[in-house]
Every structure is written in structure tokens, then in C-alpha cells.
Amino acid sequence: MYNFLLPDEYVNSVLDITPEKLQQQGIRGIITDLDNTLVEWDRADATDELVKWFESMREAGIRIIIASNNNEERVKHFAEPHGIPFIHRAKKPLGGAYYAALVQLRLRRHEVVMLGDQLLTDVMGAKRQKLYTILVRPVAQSDGLVTKFNRFVERRVFNDLKRKGMKTW
């Protein structure tokens, strides 16, 4: 029942994901959400730790693209200083942004991982496109209005999974 909602992996932070681990899995590219995955939804710029993480991925030859449902101004302000391509108003979980990201990365599905903090947008959309998914614990405890609804549904899904003895955080 939850096949499209179950991530392949859970992490507490994107900083827990190393280039070495991704390379061992044959991963050469990352599609990542922005808000509450990389930084808090109300933080404009990357943290110093995140900048170092971007650099470590780049040095290892792992390409990154941001796919965000947020507006162009928000995503561009964050991504451009780091030379990271982006897709704004991605309309996740619909498949168009994932396909566009694969094209921009010039990689195949099995070479790419999707990082995100939401089951209903990031994980579900990526799983429908047959991408490997890593669910990241949300950076902030607060959310925008639409995300609050998604979090309510996520809590119900997580509770059901725990009752069934399945792994979550």
C-alpha cells in the first residue's frame, strides 16, 4: 500500500550523505529539494557546512540539481552562488521536474538519488519515476501551510508503519 511513500533510506541530515557512499552505490547525481531539506524554509542562504558538502560532492564528480516547488526568486537566490542548476515551481510529485532534472544532469535513473524531506512530494514523486530516494529529517520544525497538511498525513503514515514494525526514523 505504501510502496510510493516508502523511501529507500532515512538520514538525519544531508550532511550524513557522503560522496564515497553514493559512489559505492553507483550514484553520480543528486536531485534535491531545497526547503527543509538543505536549509530551513525561511533561510535565504546555505550554511557554511552545506557549502562544504556541495564542494565535496563536486570534487567527487557528483552532480547536483535542486528541484523545488518554491518560486524562481527563492530558488535562484539560493542556488546561483553555488553554481547549482535548479528547477523552480517543480510541481512535485508530478513527474515533469524529475525528468527535466535527469536530462539536465545527463544521467540515467539508476545513477541518481532524490533527497527530500516530504513523503507526499519528494519521495512519492521520485518513486513514481523509479529513482532511489533518501528521506531527510526536516531541518526546521515549522512549515508553510501546505506542508503542514503534508506533515499531518506523514505522521499518520509513519505511525501505521511503526505499528507494522517497519523502519522509519
Side-chain angles (χ1 to χ4, degrees), residues 20-158:
E20 297 80 17
K21 182 176 185 244
L22 294 178
Q23 289 172 327
Q24 287 172 356
Q25 294 176 280
I27 299 296
R28 298 176 50 214
I30 296 170
I31 303 170
T32 183
D33 178 47
L34 171 57
D35 296 318
N36 273 351
T37 298
L38 297 177
V39 294
E40 298 87 349
W41 63 274
D42 56 353
R43 178 188 291 266
D45 302 307
T47 63
D48 292 341
E49 296 83 11
L50 190 58
V51 171
K52 289 177 187 168
W53 184 80
F54 290 151
E55 290 170 2
S56 72
M57 292 298 169
R58 188 173 290 120
E59 288 169 4
I62 297 173
R63 301 177 208 149
I64 300 173
I65 188 169
I66 295 171
S68 173
N69 286 348
N70 213 321
N71 64 60
E72 182 177 12
E73 179 183 352
R74 159 69 171 139
V75 185
K76 183 177 184 176
H77 176 88
F78 181 89
E80 275 195 343
H82 311 291
I84 298 174
F86 63 90
I87 298 167
H88 64 283
R89 296 198 198 288
K91 299 181 184 173
K92 296 177 294 179
L94 300 178
Y98 299 99
Y99 179 75
L102 289 169
V103 169
Q104 285 189 51
L105 290 170
R106 297 181 318 278
L107 295 171
R108 294 173 296 210
R109 284 174 169 79
H110 71 274
E111 297 174 302
V112 175
V113 63
M114 172 66 198
L115 308 180
D117 69 300
Q118 291 188 63
L119 290 177
L120 297 181
T121 55
D122 305 313
V123 172
M124 185 168 78
K127 292 298 266 186
R128 290 176 60 223
Q129 298 303 313
K130 298 178 175 54
L131 296 172
Y132 189 85
T133 56
I134 300 177
L135 187 65
V136 177
R137 188 177 300 277
V139 176
Q141 297 305 310
S142 63
D143 288 305
L145 185 62
V146 172
T147 306
K148 285 182 183 183
F149 172 76
N150 288 350
R151 298 280 185 227
F152 171 76
V153 174
E154 285 179 359
R155 279 191 299 277
R156 296 193 65 157
V157 169
F158 280 138

